[in-house]
Amino acid sequence: MRATVRPIRLPPGRRVLVISDIHGNLPFLKGLLEKVSFSKEDILIVLGDILEKSEGGLETLQYVMELSRTHTVYTLMGNCDDITPAFLDGGRNIPETFYPRYFQMWGEKCAVVKMAHAAGAAIETPEDYPQARRAIARAFPGELAFLRSLPTIYLSDDYLFVHGGVPREEGLEELSAHQCMKNDAFLDQGRTFRRWVVVGHWPVTLYRGDIPSAKPIFLHDRHIASIDGGCTLKMDGQLNALILPEEPGGEFSYAAYDGNPVMTALDSQEPSADPINIRWGRSRVEVLERGAEFCRCRHVESGRVLDILTDYLREGDEGWHCEDSTDYRLAVRPGDTLSVVRRISDRALVKKDGVTGWYFGRLAH
């Protein structure tokens, strides 16, 4: 299936916000739109992945659909959004063998499963699929029509908006739609563009091996902006809203929402000199000492030894893995406002300007 490319006009004088990878987190979406005072005067571009990974996907899709009726909203297809129409259309882009394990793994965090159950249909085995498809089609015609209408790329004179990434700016209609949506580690491919290419899909924290940072990444020399803050997927994730400059070539800005309580630092703390950011796909660890709050672990890839939250650990067929973890001590000054991810007996996992780290000082409301 080829990419669908649509022109987009961004009139001067209107604020343009770009959001990506909501993954069914409707409270984060509403919180972020409230934080930026989103109004009918603004333009909102949603880069895709409204669905999957949480049970709020269907409600989030319906909210975006309603917002599209009352505001200026342009929505793209993400690879996670494509799962639903692909299943209803008999598995285009996605082989039929993908679904049984995926449905079992995610349950009602998968939009197809939630739709099937809401429509009164079983979807536990491949034998259930034909009936489930018919039931979903009858129960959710508007949602399916909306998803099927989504393009792969929006293109203006100065910007190219796509969920995952593109290899070039010419001949876009000849590209594979799926490869534009699921384009892993796009920033590592060394590509440079004339337009600014704005992407989501790959959580930005995966690009750094030293500190966890959910802030958008701007590669000014290559004209790429990557904005996926790990909303829903990361324990310390956030939903970012990229704000385009008023004039092409101006400075980007952004706002973020993570739903965490906000507290004030009372003590100073210097940053770690040599931190590590253990990321998805590189998360194998050996558990050396067990504890109630922390376990002492050795990171297999780097050999580094650090304390990892006990409930961040999980055991699988290949041994132990952890959620994204760090030993970084955040740079903090008294009076700094911190977003508190977790409070432990002697420290807190906090965020400051999108960067996650440990704080050993006192906190006040």
Side-chain angles (χ1 to χ4, degrees):
M1 182 175 173
R2 299 297 181 186
T4 303
V5 183
R6 289 185 190 159
I8 185 173
R9 182 173 176 270
L10 305 176
R14 297 186 69 180
R15 187 174 60 156
V16 181
L17 309 171
V18 190
I19 295 175
S20 187
D21 296 87
I22 306 163
H23 287 297
N25 199 326
L26 185 54
F28 273 39
L29 176 58
K30 289 182 175 180
L32 180 57
L33 293 179
E34 181 179 355
K35 183 174 182 177
V36 299
S37 301
F38 178 63
S39 75
K40 292 183 179 180
E41 302 303 314
D42 298 321
I43 296 172
L44 176 63
I45 300 172
V46 181
L47 291 185
D49 276 11
I50 298 168
L51 298 175
E52 303 304 304
K53 317 303 184 188
S54 75
E55 293 187 9
L58 179 57
E59 292 78 9
T60 305
L61 172 62
Q62 292 165 340
Y63 181 79
V64 172
M65 291 170 61
E66 180 58 32
L67 208 61
S68 301
R69 288 189 278 268
T70 58
H71 295 66
T72 306
V73 181
Y74 298 96
T75 304
L76 285 173
M77 180 78 84
N79 59 297
C80 285
D81 305 313
D82 192 43
I83 290 171
T84 297
F87 175 77
L88 267 291
D89 295 343
R92 59 162 178 78
N93 292 340
I94 302 174
E96 193 83 350
T97 53
F98 164 83
Y99 296 107
R101 184 172 180 272
Y102 184 82
F103 292 166
Q104 183 179 23
M105 178 186 302
W106 291 102
E108 291 211 355
K109 292 183 178 181
C110 168
V112 172
V113 174
K114 187 161 187 178
M115 286 177 169
H117 290 166
I123 197 167
E124 279 60 52
T125 68
E127 289 72 27
D128 298 326
Y129 293 175
Q131 183 179 352
R133 287 184 171 108
R134 291 191 293 271
I136 292 171
R138 287 193 300 268
F140 298 100
E143 289 82 354
L144 296 175
F146 181 84
L147 288 170
R148 288 181 174 126
S149 74
L150 299 181
T152 317
I153 296 168
Y154 280 120
L155 193 65
S156 76
D157 291 340
D158 303 294
Y159 297 97
L160 188 157
F161 302 98
V162 62
H163 180 68
V166 290
R168 59 180 187 266
E169 292 178 75
E170 301 77 25
L172 296 171
E173 293 85 355
E174 300 171 4
L175 298 175
S176 158
H178 186 70
Q179 290 176 357
C180 292
M181 291 184 283
K182 186 171 173 52
N183 193 325
D184 296 352
F186 177 61
L187 271 58
D188 293 337
Q189 297 170 17
R191 304 187 189 282
T192 300
F193 300 92
R194 180 188 68 80
R195 294 178 178 88
W196 271 92
V197 176
V198 185
V199 301
H201 178 61
W202 199 247
V204 292
T205 190
L206 299 181
Y207 288 112
R208 296 193 64 165
D210 54 351
I211 62 173
S213 174
K215 296 188 294 184
I217 296 174
F218 304 108
L219 302 181
H220 291 273
D221 58 331
R222 294 164 54 191
H223 281 189
I224 301 174
S226 184
I227 69 170
D228 179 2
C231 173
T232 302
L233 300 182
K234 306 296 179 184
M235 300 290 194
D236 57 345
Q238 64 191 37
L239 187 61
N240 293 321
L242 176 67
I243 304 171
L244 300 189
E246 293 183 8
E247 299 289 340
E251 290 297 317
F252 292 93
S253 60
Y254 84 99
Y257 183 86
D258 64 15
N260 295 323
V262 174
M263 302 186 74
T264 302
L266 300 179
D267 302 304
S268 182
Q269 176 177 280
E270 294 303 314
S272 303
D274 184 27
I276 184 172
N277 175 27
I278 299 177
R279 297 153 288 164
W280 173 81
R282 300 177 172 184
S283 61
R284 279 198 63 197
V285 296
E286 299 173 11
V287 178
L288 305 177
E289 299 176 22
R290 298 179 182 272
E293 292 183 328
F294 291 99
C295 290
R296 194 74 170 164
C297 299
R298 178 183 291 109
H299 181 223
V300 171
E301 181 182 287
S302 67
R304 293 279 292 269
V305 175
L306 70 159
D307 291 330
I308 294 176
L309 286 163
T310 299
D311 59 6
Y312 273 29
L313 294 168
R314 63 188 187 278
E315 189 174 18
D317 295 338
E318 299 179 357
W320 288 92
H321 291 259
C322 67
E323 299 291 341
D324 290 11
S325 299
T326 187
D327 60 359
Y328 180 51
R329 292 190 179 214
L330 197 65
V332 178
R333 294 291 176 264
D336 282 352
T337 298
L338 304 176
S339 169
V340 181
V341 181
R342 291 282 296 273
R343 294 193 76 176
I344 313 300
S345 56
D346 66 340
R347 71 197 81 171
L349 188 63
V350 300
K351 291 170 63 183
K352 177 184 172 183
D353 190 24
V355 176
T356 299
W358 292 102
Y359 176 59
F360 288 79
R362 294 170 299 159
L363 291 164
H365 289 285

